[in-house]
């Protein structure tokens, strides 16, 4: 039996559409579900704003009596890109950003270099910023490499609080700054974000081969559906309308 080109197109589009419906449809359910969950989670809660005070340190009231600029530059020990005065645990310091990208902390009054933060100081910084009440002191761990949960400045200290959110506050060892806060809500959001962009390991790459393949498949699915819709659209009404016009013309 010889099939007409129109019938072959119809059968081919129908077959492609049916199989893509199974593949794309399953992922579409994941996309819709993950998108719904992420949209329902308050973004401030995801960011952990209910757990920490990001501006716990007061602003500098005066720079009077601070070390002069030449002394600060000399103590930095390397070419400096930028100097910034700020407070750290109630103590005025200078954050020297070096040309090579590293950061060195200096005493604002004496210009003496400060050591990298140890666990005790990092814990004090985290506790000062933490908003929870009645929670024991956090456990401190040193972080040397990036992970799906933390990709900030390294090395860093992770302060874990025993609250109902399993709050983790990350403090950069070089700067003493709060770089990230992670809670149970953030981990739930991050899990569905990984499903949504189809990056199940890093949770940050939105152009993975899987995502590109399913996006292309979705386009083919839509095109094949449009072809089927056009070919199956009822034409009887148009033929009847044409017939009535011709009869009226004869009369």
């Amino acid at each position: 039996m010889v099939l007409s080109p129109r019938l072959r197109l119809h059968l081919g589009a129908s077959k492609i559409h049916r199989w893509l419906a199974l593949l794309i449809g399953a992922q579409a359910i994941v996309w819709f579900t993950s998108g719904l969950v992420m949209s329902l989670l308050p973004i401030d809660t995801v960011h952990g704003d209910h757990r920490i005070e990001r501006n716990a340190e007061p602003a500098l009231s005066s720079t009077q009596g601070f070390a002069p600029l030449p002394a600060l530059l000399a103590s930095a020990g390397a070419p400096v890109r930028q100097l910034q005065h700020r407070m750290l645990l109630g103590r005025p310091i200078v954050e020297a950003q070096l040309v090579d990208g590293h950061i060195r902390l200096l005493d604002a009054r004496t210009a003496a270099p400060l050591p990298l933060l140890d666990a005790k100081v990092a814990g004090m910084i985290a506790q000062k910023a933490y908003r929870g009440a009645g929670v024991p002191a956090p456990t401190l761990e040193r972080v040397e490499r990036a992970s799906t949960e933390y990709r900030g400045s390294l090395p860093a200290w992770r302060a874990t609080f025993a609250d109902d959110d399993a709050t983790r506050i990350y403090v950069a060892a070089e700067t003493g700054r709060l770089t990230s806060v992670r809670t149970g809500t953030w981990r739930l959001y991050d899990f569905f974000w990984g499903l949504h962009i189809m990056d199940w390991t890093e949770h940050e790459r939105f152009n993975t081969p899987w995502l590109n393949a399913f996006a292309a498949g979705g386009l083919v699915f839509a095109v094949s559906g449009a072809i089927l819709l056009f070919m199956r659209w009822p034409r009887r009404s148009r033929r009847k309308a044409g017939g009535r016009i011709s009869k009226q013309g004869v009369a």
Side-chain angles (χ1 to χ4, degrees), residues 9 13 27 33 42 63 82 103 105 131 133 149 157-158 161 165 167-168 175 187 196 231 239-240 242:
L9 177 62
Q27 180 59 36
T33 303
T63 58
Q82 178 180 327
I103 293 177
L105 300 184
R131 283 183 172 179
E149 181 172 284
W157 291 97
R158 179 172 58 218
F161 292 84
D165 250 347
T167 303
R168 294 175 179 174
T175 65
R187 295 180 196 99
H196 196 74
M231 300 186 72
R239 288 198 298 267
K240 285 184 177 181

Side-chain angles (χ1 to χ4, degrees), residues 127-198:
Q127 279 189 292
K128 187 172 184 177
Y130 182 67
R131 283 183 172 179
V135 177
T139 57
L140 275 296
E141 295 178 78
R142 187 176 174 87
V143 179
E144 299 285 352
R145 60 180 61 185
S147 64
T148 55
E149 181 172 284
Y150 179 73
R151 298 185 182 89
S153 177
L154 294 170
W157 291 97
R158 179 172 58 218
T160 303
F161 292 84
D163 56 21
D164 55 357
D165 250 347
T167 303
R168 294 175 179 174
I169 297 177
Y170 289 85
V171 181
E174 275 192 335
T175 65
R177 292 184 181 273
L178 300 179
T179 51
S180 296
V181 56
R182 301 293 184 242
T183 63
T185 304
W186 182 92
R187 295 180 196 99
L188 179 64
Y189 185 97
D190 186 60
F191 171 75
F192 281 101
W193 170 250
L195 294 180
H196 196 74
I197 64 174
M198 301 184 75

Side-chain angles (χ1 to χ4, degrees), residues 20-39:
L20 284 178
L22 295 175
L23 296 174
I24 304 299
Q27 180 59 36
I29 293 175
V30 175
W31 281 331
F32 293 144
T33 303
S34 58
L36 175 62
V37 171
M38 290 188 294
S39 66

Side-chain angles (χ1 to χ4, degrees), residues 193 196-199 204-213 215:
W193 170 250
H196 196 74
I197 64 174
M198 301 184 75
D199 181 9
E204 65 174 358
R205 298 171 298 174
F206 59 87
N207 58 348
T208 60
W210 282 107
L211 183 61
N212 293 335

